[in-house]
Amino acid sequence: MKATLVQMNSVSDKAANLAAARALIDQAVREERPDWICLPEVFDFIGGNRADKAAAAEELPGGPAYSLCSALAREYGVFIHAGSILEKAPGEERLHNTTVAFDRSGKEVARYRKIHMFDITAPDGAQYRESAAFKPGEAVVTYDCEGLTIGCAICYDLRFPYLFQALADKGADIVALPSAFTLVTGKDHWEVLARARAIEIQAYFCAPNQTGAHKAGHETRVSYGNSLIADPWGHVVARASEGVGLVSTRIDRDRIRKVRAMIPVASHRVSLPG
């Protein structure tokens, strides 16, 4: 299976973001001929204030971002893991940060709502309070991609290894982690955490990231880029740098089997006392 990650510089203009996503998916199909395409976190809208986010959010299924990805999956006959979309939460002022995956026919095959909320003060003093605008999900989600099991996570989830163990327990061969990882944390933690998660669960780790600057209210925030794919041994086998673009590799099923046979950690797990 050939996987392509899309690195974007989304902003607080939904129409422009969807046009950019369409152009990059068109380019990916034309140049890379992938089986599976993954977009970054909040590819449809990033920045703005809470009212802007609410206005951009969609009721799923349906809505322009959802419909675009479904239509392109069907048109090109590819799986599209639609990064994450701002989703309205019924009866809530807050939204969900939601991944939707589509198969080659454009049918929805998975929906995952980000579990861990990014509520931190970064080393540069910037404050992030994701839980003020977003309601966390609760479900651990995987889906089948023609014999490979893909596990779903989003951005800040990367720092919580028990989620990835739960995905491994559900048979994940690949983990998709669409992100908008900040520059200030990404430069120190992005690669090492992605490689660690790949090594721990002996799976491919596919992490498309946002890149560059966007406006959030009166602040300018910068995403790290460096979208990457790590193999089950923890080698980075494909990587972008800065700027909008694509990065691809082939997912080797035999590589997954060989790594798991060499170091059979799944069979060595011990249940620890409470």
Side-chain angles (χ1 to χ4, degrees):
M1 184 183 91
K2 188 172 185 181
T4 294
L5 309 185
V6 176
Q7 184 161 284
M8 295 180 63
N9 175 222
S10 298
V11 293
S12 54
D13 181 335
K14 184 159 183 169
N17 295 333
L18 297 189
R22 172 185 276 278
L24 285 161
I25 291 170
D26 289 346
Q27 180 185 350
V29 171
R30 185 174 64 252
E31 296 180 358
E32 301 292 334
R33 300 185 181 279
D35 300 289
W36 181 83
I37 297 171
C38 190
L39 296 165
E41 182 183 19
V42 290
F43 78 93
D44 62 328
F45 191 93
I46 188 170
N49 56 34
R50 287 187 65 178
D52 297 328
K53 289 180 172 67
E58 303 184 7
E59 293 183 2
L60 304 182
Y66 182 104
S67 298
L68 173 69
C69 292
S70 175
L72 290 175
R74 181 172 60 252
E75 177 181 350
Y76 290 129
V78 297
F79 281 79
I80 294 183
H81 190 101
S84 74
I85 295 169
L86 302 185
E87 179 194 6
K88 293 182 187 296
E92 274 268 350
E93 290 187 5
R94 293 182 299 172
L95 310 173
H96 288 301
N97 186 348
T98 304
T99 289
V100 185
F102 301 94
D103 68 12
R104 294 183 191 269
S105 71
K107 176 186 174 183
E108 179 184 329
V109 292
R111 192 183 301 184
Y112 167 72
R113 297 180 175 115
K114 186 177 182 179
I115 292 173
H116 299 97
M117 297 291 100
F118 190 53
D119 290 353
I120 75 152
T121 300
D124 62 358
Q127 293 190 344
Y128 298 82
R129 294 291 178 266
E130 195 172 38
S131 63
F134 292 94
K135 180 181 179 180
E138 299 176 347
V140 177
V141 176
T142 62
Y143 64 95
D144 177 71
C145 182
E146 297 175 340
L148 289 166
T149 299
I150 298 181
C152 300
I154 298 173
C155 200
Y156 190 51
D157 286 335
L158 179 61
R159 296 182 182 273
F160 299 89
Y162 58 82
L163 172 59
F164 299 94
Q165 189 57 62
L167 291 171
D169 291 345
K170 295 187 73 169
D173 302 302
I174 300 166
V175 170
L177 185 96
S179 297
F181 223 81
T182 69
L183 174 63
V184 69
T185 58
K187 62 186 178 61
D188 294 326
H189 296 164
W190 172 249
E191 180 177 328
V192 68
L193 285 171
R195 293 178 66 194
R197 300 292 91 87
I199 293 165
E200 286 165 353
I201 67 168
Q202 300 176 316
Y204 278 89
F205 203 89
C206 297
N209 202 10
Q210 293 279 354
T211 186
H214 69 271
K215 288 285 187 182
H218 298 297
E219 297 181 23
T220 298
R221 294 180 174 174
V222 182
S223 297
Y224 181 56
N226 288 272
S227 300
L228 64 82
I229 301 175
D231 77 1
W233 194 253
H235 290 158
V236 175
V237 293
R239 181 171 186 157
S241 54
E242 298 177 356
V244 171
L246 310 169
V247 62
S248 301
T249 197
R250 292 200 174 274
I251 303 299
D252 185 346
R253 298 168 194 252
D254 286 339
R255 180 70 167 158
I256 299 169
R257 286 192 286 267
K258 287 176 182 176
V259 168
R260 292 175 178 177
M262 280 190 288
I263 307 179
V265 294
S267 64
H268 292 163
R269 284 179 61 191
V270 175
S271 296
L272 299 176

